[in-house]
Amino acid sequence: KQEVTQIPAALSVPEGENLVLNCSFTDSAIYNLQWFRQDPGKGLTSLLLIQSSQREQTSGRLNASLDKSSGRSTLYIAASQPGDSATYLCAVHNNDMRFGAGTRLTVKP
Amino acid sequence: GAGVSQTPSNKVTEKGKYVELRCDPISGHTALYWYRQSLGQGPEFLIYFQGTGAADDSGLPNDRFFAVRPEGSVSTLKIQRTERGDSAVYLCASSLLAGTNGYTFGSGTRLTVV
């Protein structure tokens, strides 16, 4: 059974810092990996999707990497802003999708 | 439709009652997923459909939970004899094809059992 772990569980940084969120998974036989953002009381917003054959994806200030063989992915956020404050969830796809518990990010002005 | 639609957005029910939660996926998406999310936790897989059939229902916690997708589009999650522990946000997602594309989530149904 796929297990997904996200570290750290919570992170608080001052505005402007670059930061890295980590995701690890136990079964490397995945189709792809997806990073989501969730604001309090809201649904999930997709940020980046990395196919199993890819090493990274970039969107604006976000960069996600995937090392399938070692079961790891990172989400890099450059020049963080208070509006980035949210919970970030990593999900790995086999035929269904399994989530980590998320990293709760707070960016202080 | 343009996105995944879930209704109702909020549902309060008394312990022991029956509830139905509805999900309208993106038009043309063949794969549909149900998740449950408790406060401070990541979404927990319940069941997924490929077309009309439940391809994997291993996440359903017990036989009080059941889901259908009779025409391969709209899905209904049904919970019998609700318990307070069923209180959570129930999320639905759809994908063009299982596993090969990204998932789009609805805003969820917040279920409160009192």
Side-chain angles (χ1 to χ4, degrees), chain A residues 6-75:
Chain A
Q6 289 188 247
I7 295 173
L11 181 63
S12 181
V13 300
E15 181 177 6
E17 272 203 10
N18 303 324
L19 57 100
V20 175
L21 309 181
N22 297 289
C23 173
S24 62
F25 47 96
T26 55
D27 183 353
S28 62
I30 65 171
Y31 292 124
N32 51 53
L33 182 146
Q34 197 165 0
W35 282 93
F36 292 89
R37 169 186 173 135
Q38 187 173 34
D39 293 284
K42 304 294 185 182
L44 279 69
T45 300
S46 179
L47 298 174
L48 290 164
L49 171 69
I50 312 176
Q51 300 293 344
S52 63
S53 59
Q54 296 176 322
R55 298 284 290 185
E56 67 176 340
Q57 281 287 324
T58 298
S59 176
R61 293 182 294 108
L62 305 180
N63 175 279
S65 69
L66 173 63
D67 183 344
K68 199 173 76 159
S69 61
S70 67
R72 293 179 184 176
S73 176
T74 62
L75 179 66

Side-chain angles (χ1 to χ4, degrees), chain B residues 9-43:
Chain B
S9 56
N10 282 282
K11 176 71 176 178
V12 180
T13 190
E14 292 181 348
K15 179 176 177 296
K17 298 290 188 183
Y18 168 83
V19 296
E20 290 189 351
L21 311 179
R22 176 187 169 105
C23 173
D24 279 277
I26 292 174
S27 179
H29 279 195
T30 63
L32 184 147
Y33 309 81
W34 283 99
Y35 288 81
R36 176 169 71 174
Q37 188 175 26
S38 301
L39 193 64
Q41 302 294 319

